[in-house]
Amino acid sequence: MGKETSKANDKKLRNIKFRNRLGNLIPKIMIAPTFTVSLVCVYGFILWTIWISFTSSKILPKYDFVGFEQYNILFTQEPRWWVASLNLFIFSGLFIAICIALGLTLAIFIDQRLRGEGVFRTIYLYPMALSFIVTGTAWRWIMNPSLGLERLVQQLGFSDFTFRLLVESNVAIYAVVIAAVWQSTGFMFALFIAGLRGIDNSIIKAAQIDGASLKKIYLRIIIPSLRPVFLSAVIILLHLSIKCFDLVMALTSGGPGYSTDMPATFMYAFAFNRGRLAFGAASAVIMFITVMAIIIPYLYTELKGTRNAR
Amino acid sequence: MPGKMNVMVGEKSPGMIAGRIIVYTLSILAAVYFLIPFFVMVMTSVKTLEDIKSGNLISWPREFTLDAWIKAWDSACTGINCEGVKGYFFNSILMVVPSVAISTIIGAVNGYVFSKWRFKGSEVLFTFLLLGCFIPFQIILLPMSGMLGWLKISQTIFGLALVHIIYGLSFTSLFFRNYYVAIPDEIIKAAKIDGAGFFRIFWKCILPVSAPIFMVVIIWQTTQIWNDFLFGVAFSGSESQPVTVALNNIVNTTTGVKEYNVDMAAALIAGLPTLLVYIISGKYFLRGLTAGAVKG
């Protein structure tokens, strides 16, 4: 009898062991497809693009090796790349500064417990639900040089008013900034209002008891405590700027000429329209390195932060 | 909602009231600024071309007409095809529905593993997967178009949906993982002791509390994929274009008279689905935006 129970126990134990082993395997099996896809379609593809950027491929990939030649052409012989880079610089600077300033201001306004807060929120944020192509199409019409804003203001009585951002190549990039700011300000507003609502009230109460004015409380206590939000905001907007492709295509198609080209549209134009694979790949690699140089330190501090918090 | 300003309001001095009036005025002005482009689009889309040429951006239509909408839907020219956006609108639906469904389901299971079935190296794997959220997609465009060709699905809606699934997985896994981390491990442990396995626990303990995160992820993925242009323009053919690409082609068609009313109607058609999603479930949209944002 004792023997039998021990046998049965043995069997039970083996069963449990087997199930445990299987149970430990299932999570890995479930992750495997995503892992494989990521390995190939993210990491593998990045390596492939880097590799191609060191070849002389034109329309079809060619696996020779020409060293840094494409990069050399990109930086020393291609004025359009410098236009694109400079545009990215101007665009991201203005886009980030204006979006954050407007978004923060609106967040502070709405944080004063305004009536109809929900309505304000909905209106400020709706452009984020639209495609950049829709935004670009709308603003292209608004900034139309003959029938758009110019006509409107002239009809209001300012007959000398001109508004020709879209057709003058030295200022067309500002048109892209205007449309982008319109679309993304609400996003910044949402980030900042979440930040403001997360601030501990007791600090503010204490400052009030000490007789600090509202302005002082904002400048000295509230805004400094939003530092992490500012950091995320800058990173997000920078990331959006580098990836900015659709808006330029819809608003200016990179023109007039190539005056509103950005790295993202540059890469597309050379790799897909002109059939210069290796050259396009080289510009993509530069974009990639730029993004990584921004994201990796940020992620590193973020992940370290959450781990310490836990 | 207990905003912090209630501590500051206290008694109302005249200065305070003036301050509030200013704040209200500026907030309303900002709202007007955000609404104007939409208003202009709607106004332009219901005018005749003559009306557009004689009036201005915000002038009221002298004659209200839906001709531009009908033309945009049915017969506007995108390049050489003159069949409006209707076909492309359905392309977008055909692309969005399967890619959202699949990337969401896989993301949920991944998130479940990364939060509740951690194994040695799973954290590293998760970080490894995260990179997909941040890369500029230009870096994968060329090999991806090669792979789609090799799989014989280039320029198909299926291929496009596949691309959206692949590059959506990082985001969906991240969303679900961050949500599931907050579920107490004790529940899972108790279920394990009761003999429940991987799928049973997922089905009985995790899924029933997952409705909000499913909403967030589905809405996030729907807007992202519907609004995408880069993959659409790089990987679709003339028959399989999503509506964003078709819209861009309508606007950039240079032959014939420029019909701004048709452009605006087409833009509104392309924008309405995501706008509706936003209006119906703005709360979830916002949560996705801020959650996805802080990490990407």
Side-chain angles (χ1 to χ4, degrees), chain A residues 19 23 26-28 30-31 34-35 37-43 45-46 48-50 106 109-115 117 120-134 137-142 144 147-149 151-152 155 178 181-182 185-187 190-191 196-197 199 201 204-205 208 214 217-218 222 232 236 239 243 245-246 249-250 253 264 267-268 271-272 277 280-281 284-285 287-288 291-292 295 298-299 302-303 306-307 310, chain B residues 1-9 20 23-24 26-28 30-31 33-38 40-41 44 52-58 106 109-110 113-114 117-119 123 125 127-145 147 166-167 169 173 177 181 195-199 223 226-230 233-235 244 247-248 251-252 260 263-264 267-268 270-271 274-275 278-279 285-286 289-290 293-296:
Chain A
R19 269 184 47 188
I26 290 175
K28 291 175 191 164
M30 298 312 287
I31 290 294
T34 309
F35 173 74
V37 161
S38 172
L39 193 66
V40 175
C41 297
V42 177
Y43 291 85
F45 283 7
I46 290 171
W48 191 88
T49 306
I50 294 173
L106 291 179
F109 285 171
I110 300 302
D111 196 35
Q112 311 300 313
R113 308 217 310 156
L114 295 194
R115 235 169 256 178
E117 182 187 316
F120 282 121
R121 273 171 180 267
T122 308
I123 293 173
Y124 293 169
L125 206 64
Y126 88 90
M128 272 311 286
L130 296 174
S131 161
F132 270 119
I133 298 293
V134 175
T137 307
W139 281 93
R140 185 181 191 151
W141 165 232
I142 293 171
N144 184 295
L147 295 171
L149 195 64
R151 156 83 68 94
L152 173 67
Q155 286 190 351
I178 292 174
V181 164
W182 178 79
T185 298
F187 189 3
L191 278 188
L196 285 172
R197 292 276 151 89
I199 294 174
N201 270 340
I204 296 158
K205 260 184 199 151
Q208 266 203 316
L214 189 59
I217 292 176
Y218 266 106
I222 298 180
S232 323
I236 293 163
H239 197 224
K243 287 166 109 171
F245 173 76
D246 349 18
M249 295 302 274
S253 319
M267 183 274 168
Y268 187 82
F272 283 80
L277 278 193
V285 171
M287 283 178 68
F288 174 71
V291 171
M292 288 303 118
I295 291 291
Y298 171 71
L299 269 191
E302 275 279 297
L303 288 176
T306 49
R307 223 160 259 167
R310 222 184 278 157
Chain B
M1 203 177 288
K4 76 185 98 352
M5 289 314 131
N6 56 342
V7 256
M8 292 176 199
V9 172
R20 284 191 77 75
V23 167
Y24 266 108
L26 292 176
S27 305
I28 292 168
Y33 158 74
F34 284 113
L35 285 175
I36 277 181
F38 189 74
V40 167
M41 286 169 88
T44 308
I52 290 173
K53 282 178 182 148
S54 61
N56 62 43
L57 286 179
I58 55 170
I106 300 180
V109 177
N110 288 348
V113 172
F114 284 130
W117 290 83
R118 291 189 190 162
F119 49 87
E123 288 286 276
L125 230 117
T127 319
F128 173 90
L129 201 64
L130 268 188
L131 181 79
C133 296
F134 303 106
I135 53 167
F137 289 127
Q138 275 74 15
I139 194 84
I140 52 88
L141 282 186
L142 292 170
M144 183 44 99
S145 97
M147 190 179 97
I166 291 173
Y167 296 106
L169 280 179
S173 307
R177 185 247 185 205
V181 157
F198 183 87
F199 296 103
T223 44
W226 183 278
N227 288 342
D228 162 75
F229 179 72
L230 181 62
V233 76
F235 301 136
T244 47
L247 168 63
N248 194 48
V251 177
N252 282 309
Y260 299 107
D263 289 356
M264 289 306 116
L268 284 170
T274 46
L275 210 52
Y278 168 69
I279 288 166
F285 176 79
L286 180 63
L289 208 55
T290 39
V294 186
K295 321 261 129 154

Side-chain angles (χ1 to χ4, degrees), chain B residues 88-104:
Chain B
Y88 308 106
F89 190 87
F90 291 119
N91 283 349
S92 276
I93 295 177
L94 282 178
M95 166 184 84
V96 165
V97 173
S99 52
V100 170
I102 295 171
S103 62
T104 304

Side-chain angles (χ1 to χ4, degrees), chain B residues 204-218:
Chain B
K204 294 273 171 186
C205 305
I206 301 288
L207 273 187
V209 298
S210 298
I213 190 64
F214 267 91
M215 284 294 285
V216 169
V217 172
I218 289 172

